[in-house]
Amino acid sequence: MAAPSDSNTSNSFLHPFFQESCYPEELRESIISLPREECWVAPYIYNYKGFWLGSIHLYGALRSQQQFQAQHSDIILCSFPKCGTTWLKALIFAVITRKQFLVSQETLNPLLTTNPQDLIRNMELAYARENSPDFSVNNGLFRVLSTHLPLALLPKSVGESKCKLIYVCRSQKDTLVSFWHFVNKLRGEARGLGAIPFPHTFDKYCRGESMYGPFWDHMLGYWKESLENPGKVLFLKYEEIKEEPDVQLRRIAAFLGCPFSEEEEEGGVVGGISRLCSFERLSNLEVNKTGKSYYSPNNVYFRKGEVGDWRNHLTDEMAIKLDQIVEEKFKGTGLKLC
Ligand code: PAP
């Protein structure tokens, strides 16, 4: 399967492959025959092996499964959308490149001039666009990529190699609110479309019919793997990073086999990375305020960065319903959302 070429793309924030008429010939029949639901930024999301994927994500997932060859030293950041991907990209980048970009010389750090989403690329979107995407970071010193794919849909080589996965999850009430704002921003900026009413988004989310959903199966897949194979999957929570960024940074560094040395601890490297990657610092950078990446303006990845914003959007009834879903789905698994 060839990726849609760049000549097939437009200046729009949304890839034309979101349109059914642009599906590649070899996939059109198989995609169109899948169960589908309306999507807010694309014509449809499709149910593929139990998960809801937009056409471009599905296409990229199938190509990733065919072509991606994991290497033992790969680092893969996995997440359900809006759970803290951008933040974790920044943290991982800063941790692994800290010997090249000393926090004491912060001004040289690429995080100040490049959106974290561009420093660490999303696998399925990269494969949807390119035949042989490059996931090297910092001139090939590392290979790091991200994915929103559930564990069950990852390329086989990921499980066969010794590559490491870092998963981040977040309270579903805040994730839903973040997702709703994100979708409406994309609809408005890219397509001039009106906002989706929140109750409509809520209902579909609760049914699991949102991008990469259902969220419960997504989270449980990685959660179970992290319990069975803790050297392979590190399971993080957005709220815990927010509360104690330094503690979680030490976990990340140790998991990746590059723990902070005593000298680094004494030199304030951990706190330096936390500050560099903080919402306040990153969201106020020019590149993240006015820059654009291939798929969207960079500022769509920075909204409030807070815990508990759901209180401004969910009614008591909605909050109870979502809590009940989480409780029921996660019962007996040991996984608790904040
Ligand atoms: P993605 O799944 O599309 O890649 P992702 O980065 O996971 O997006 O989610 C964006 C959320 O992370 C936004 O949350 P909010 O809508 O509730 O505000 C965004 O503000 C938040 N975010 C981005 N960067 C940071 C950061 N450095 N610290 C804390 N939160 C952040």
Side-chain angles (χ1 to χ4, degrees):
M1 278 188 292
S5 72
D6 274 357
S7 62
N8 213 7
T9 64
S10 77
N11 288 330
S12 155
F13 290 136
L14 290 183
H15 195 288
F17 189 49
F18 275 118
Q19 305 298 328
E20 272 193 324
S21 57
C22 299
Y23 296 176
E25 201 59 53
E26 70 271 24
L27 278 184
R28 186 168 297 137
E29 284 312 310
S30 45
I31 290 182
I32 289 176
S33 61
L34 290 172
R36 69 187 189 191
E37 280 292 327
E38 91 181 281
C39 177
W40 299 298
V41 288
Y44 301 106
I45 48 173
Y46 296 90
N47 193 295
Y48 178 69
K49 299 195 174 174
F51 289 94
W52 293 97
L53 270 62
S55 56
I56 191 167
H57 308 100
L58 175 55
Y59 176 60
L62 296 174
R63 292 191 80 237
S64 307
Q65 287 171 355
Q66 284 179 346
Q67 297 179 26
F68 179 73
Q69 281 308 318
Q71 296 168 15
H72 293 319
S73 56
D74 283 350
I75 301 167
I76 308 183
L77 156 55
C78 312
S79 59
F80 189 73
K82 314 326 287 180
C83 284
T85 323
T86 315
W87 191 12
L88 203 57
K89 284 186 182 191
L91 292 170
I92 292 174
F93 182 88
V95 165
I96 61 175
T97 62
R98 67 187 193 266
K99 302 267 190 269
Q100 286 81 53
F101 305 114
L102 302 177
V103 286
S104 53
Q105 298 170 346
E106 208 213 77
T107 47
L108 300 175
N109 202 301
L111 280 164
L112 299 182
T113 48
T114 314
N115 182 281
Q117 296 278 355
D118 291 333
L119 288 172
I120 295 178
R121 303 179 69 198
N122 176 285
M123 175 178 68
E124 54 275 21
L125 287 178
Y127 271 102
R129 253 187 92 189
E130 297 163 31
N131 286 320
S132 310
D134 180 9
F135 297 111
S136 63
V137 165
N138 202 22
N139 297 324
L141 268 182
F142 305 94
R143 209 164 83 122
V144 193
L145 53 144
S146 78
T147 183
H148 284 318
L149 288 179
L151 189 80
L153 297 186
L154 290 180
K156 229 167 142 208
S157 66
V158 172
E160 291 163 353
S161 87
K162 292 188 178 133
C163 68
K164 299 208 174 217
L165 312 186
I166 302 186
Y167 186 80
V168 62
C169 81
R170 186 181 187 187
S171 144
Q172 275 314 289
K173 290 182 294 218
D174 280 340
T175 307
L176 160 65
V177 168
S178 182
F179 178 69
W180 180 69
H181 281 286
F182 175 78
V183 161
N184 285 334
K185 185 137 201 208
L186 278 190
R187 283 171 63 86
E189 295 213 11
R191 304 191 142 196
L193 297 173
I196 302 283
F198 187 74
H200 184 63
T201 312
F202 177 82
D203 286 343
K204 288 182 84 72
Y205 209 78
C206 289
R207 290 201 300 271
E209 289 166 9
S210 71
M211 208 72 95
Y212 294 96
F215 70 80
W216 51 86
D217 285 337
H218 200 286
M219 292 181 176
L220 283 175
Y222 285 99
W223 170 249
K224 287 178 185 163
E225 189 65 23
S226 76
L227 296 180
E228 280 165 26
N229 209 344
K232 176 84 177 174
V233 182
L234 177 68
F235 197 94
L236 301 172
K237 294 180 181 171
Y238 180 97
E239 295 78 6
E240 289 178 352
I241 311 177
K242 198 87 192 163
E243 198 170 314
E244 291 187 306
D246 293 8
V247 172
Q248 301 306 320
L249 268 172
R250 290 187 189 102
R251 283 183 75 201
I252 293 170
F255 176 75
L256 295 178
C258 54
F260 294 104
S261 65
E262 241 171 70
E263 200 183 322
E264 286 178 312
E265 289 281 359
E266 282 162 15
V269 171
V270 188
I273 293 178
S274 298
R275 283 190 295 279
L276 170 65
C277 300
S278 68
F279 181 84
E280 292 66 31
R281 183 86 171 100
L282 292 183
S283 64
N284 282 306
L285 295 171
E286 203 49 42
V287 63
N288 295 326
K289 285 201 289 193
T290 57
K292 293 181 176 97
S293 72
Y294 183 72
Y295 294 99
S296 53
N298 291 341
N299 62 19
V300 294
Y301 298 107
F302 300 92
R303 193 181 62 89
K304 280 192 170 178
E306 288 172 4
V307 173
D309 189 37
W310 62 267
R311 290 189 180 83
N312 297 316
H313 296 80
L314 271 72
T315 61
D316 288 350
E317 207 176 273
M318 285 171 164
I320 290 168
K321 181 171 174 186
L322 202 43
D323 283 345
Q324 279 172 346
I325 292 172
V326 169
E327 203 182 310
E328 184 195 313
K329 298 290 181 187
F330 292 178
K331 200 171 176 184
T333 65
L335 176 56
K336 291 209 177 352
L337 297 184
C338 297

